[in-house]
């Protein structure tokens, strides 16, 4: 590994809407007329962020570390998954500098929930809420997000030592 004391990572995740009455984003349960189809709780935001952290250290992806076939992760709280990835980062001598997430969703409305999302992330990554950014946008009715078929999240993270 080079001596550069910074590592940058990015992650993307997409999940499809299905039957249900809420979605979970950054650990926040948001009442909704649909749910998310997933093996775990379907927290697409935390999956993107966990992938960004793994990517920063070239440790593969969450599909490798938390396989869909693994019964331990059925319906799992994705905050457990994120904290597990955080501990992998920490044990290698790295800390999270900041994280920036963009949620692409035509609905439900995300903005009322951004603050509790940031608080959950700050808690799980052991940083302050000033080092966490969660943003949301629609896609102007374009593409699968615009057709209300699902939610996509882009995440970037900076690690330092
Ligand atoms: Mg996922």
């Amino acid at each position: 590994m080079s001596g550069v004391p910074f590592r940058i990572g990015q992650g993307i995740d997409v999940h499809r809407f299905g039957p249900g009455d809420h979605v979970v984003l950054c650990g926040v349960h948001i009442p909704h007329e649909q749910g998310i189809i997933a093996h775990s709780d379907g927290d697409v935001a935390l999956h993107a962020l966990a992938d960004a952290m793994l990517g920063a250290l070239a440790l593969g992806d969450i599909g490798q570390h938390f396989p869909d076939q693994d019964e331990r992760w059925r319906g799992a709280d994705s905050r457990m998954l994120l904290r597990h990835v955080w501990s992998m980062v920490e044990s290698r001598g790295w800390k999270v500098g900041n994280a920036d997430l963009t949620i692409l969703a035509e609905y439900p409305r995300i903005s009322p929930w951004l603050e509790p999302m940031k608080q959950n992330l700050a808690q799980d990554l052991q940083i302050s809420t000033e080092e966490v950014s969660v943003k949301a946008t629609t896609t102007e009715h374009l593409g699968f997000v615009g057709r209300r078929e699902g939610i996509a999240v882009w995440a970037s993270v900076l690690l330092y030592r």
Side-chain angles (χ1 to χ4, degrees):
M1 196 173 272
S2 81
V4 178
F6 303 103
R7 303 280 293 204
I8 191 167
Q10 59 94 23
I12 295 172
D13 197 26
V14 174
H15 278 272
R16 181 187 288 273
F17 286 126
D21 60 6
H22 71 280
V23 300
V24 184
L25 288 169
C26 297
V28 177
H29 289 237
I30 301 173
H32 188 47
E33 62 199 56
Q34 289 187 288
I36 290 285
I37 299 173
H39 182 68
S40 67
D41 63 4
D43 195 326
V44 56
L46 295 191
H47 297 175
L49 177 57
D51 251 356
M53 292 168 68
L54 290 171
L57 296 185
L59 293 174
D61 60 50
I62 59 170
Q64 289 168 244
H65 294 278
F66 310 97
D68 273 358
Q69 305 88 310
D70 191 331
E71 284 303 312
R72 279 180 304 166
W73 303 105
R74 179 180 293 281
D77 178 349
S78 293
R79 290 183 72 185
M80 279 172 42
L81 180 152
L82 179 67
R83 289 195 285 258
H84 183 84
V85 170
W86 179 87
S87 70
M88 293 171 67
V89 167
E90 164 94 333
S91 69
R92 286 166 174 78
W94 295 87
K95 293 184 187 319
V96 177
N98 72 298
D100 182 21
L101 278 68
T102 305
I103 300 169
L104 280 72
E106 204 65 40
Y107 81 151
R109 250 175 63 96
I110 307 294
S111 56
W113 310 95
L114 292 176
E115 277 310 310
M117 288 183 192
K118 286 171 59 176
Q119 283 166 19
N120 284 349
L121 294 186
Q123 190 180 356
D124 292 344
L125 301 178
Q126 309 221 354
I127 54 181
S128 90
T129 53
E130 282 154 38
E131 284 132 11
V132 176
S133 161
V134 184
K135 314 183 296 297
T137 183
T138 69
T139 60
E140 297 289 338
H141 306 292
L142 296 171
F144 66 88
V145 169
R147 291 189 298 270
R148 302 183 166 201
E149 293 169 2
I151 295 178
V153 178
W154 268 242
S156 300
V157 68
L158 184 78
L159 307 181
Y160 71 97
R161 63 176 172 198

